[in-house]
Amino acid sequence: MLKGIPHILSPDLLHALQAMGHGDEITIVDGNYPGASAGPRLIRADGHTGTDLLEAILSVMPLDDFVPDPVVVMQVVGDAGQKPPVVAAYEKIVQRFEPKMAVTSLERFAFYKRANAGYAMVQTGEQRLYGNIILKKGVIRPD
């Protein structure tokens, strides 16, 4: 255990977050996502929710403010304008850490394509449908 680091950030996840560079993407996916066959490095976080992992990750990782869509969720199939409760919770967490950032969305298969091309994926035990979110790593500016 380390001081100041959320305990749900496993050694494998901390390593991935530290190794990622500016512009690399990590995706938090729910328990239904086909993570094992997706392609990028898969980090298991069974027993944790997507919201808990998002909060822990954003406590240590900046988001990219150079691009228009650093935070992306999956659209509801057949109703792109619908906002599932887990997505509303994700938006509140993002706003707490990055108040000027908007959460955008992608159609299901476009989301899969982008997520599966990312640096890493964290498979959670999230049971809420559409509990998937892509995060693009930003930079830490000098003081």
Side-chain angles (χ1 to χ4, degrees):
M1 304 273 306
L2 298 171
K3 293 180 182 180
I5 303 291
H7 71 278
I8 67 170
L9 296 179
S10 69
D12 289 339
L13 182 49
L14 282 170
H15 180 266
L17 294 171
Q18 178 66 17
M20 289 171 62
H22 177 215
D24 283 339
E25 294 183 335
I26 189 165
T27 305
I28 299 169
V29 298
D30 61 32
N32 291 305
Y33 196 94
S37 62
R41 175 182 177 185
L42 182 65
I43 301 163
R44 300 297 305 212
D46 302 290
H48 297 293
T49 65
T51 47
D52 287 345
L53 261 294
L54 177 61
E55 187 152 349
I57 288 170
L58 291 182
S59 76
V60 298
M61 187 186 89
L63 294 174
D64 192 343
D65 59 1
F66 293 113
V67 296
D69 59 345
V71 183
V72 181
V73 295
M74 183 188 293
Q75 293 174 352
V76 173
V77 174
D79 188 358
Q82 182 182 345
K83 186 184 296 185
V86 68
V87 170
Y90 284 161
E91 287 176 339
K92 286 180 183 176
I93 293 166
V94 169
Q95 288 300 303
R96 197 166 67 249
F97 286 94
E98 302 275 1
K100 296 179 182 176
M101 295 249 169
V103 176
T104 59
S105 66
L106 284 174
E107 177 275 331
R108 176 182 170 207
F109 292 107
F111 184 95
Y112 284 164
K113 184 176 181 181
R114 182 167 169 182
N116 296 358
Y119 182 87
M121 184 172 288
V122 183
Q123 182 103 47
T124 69
E126 180 62 67
Q127 294 182 358
R128 293 172 285 183
L129 298 179
Y130 298 96
N132 309 304
I133 187 166
I134 299 169
L135 307 170
K136 185 180 286 284
K137 187 174 183 180
V139 298
I140 297 176
R141 292 179 170 78
D143 293 332

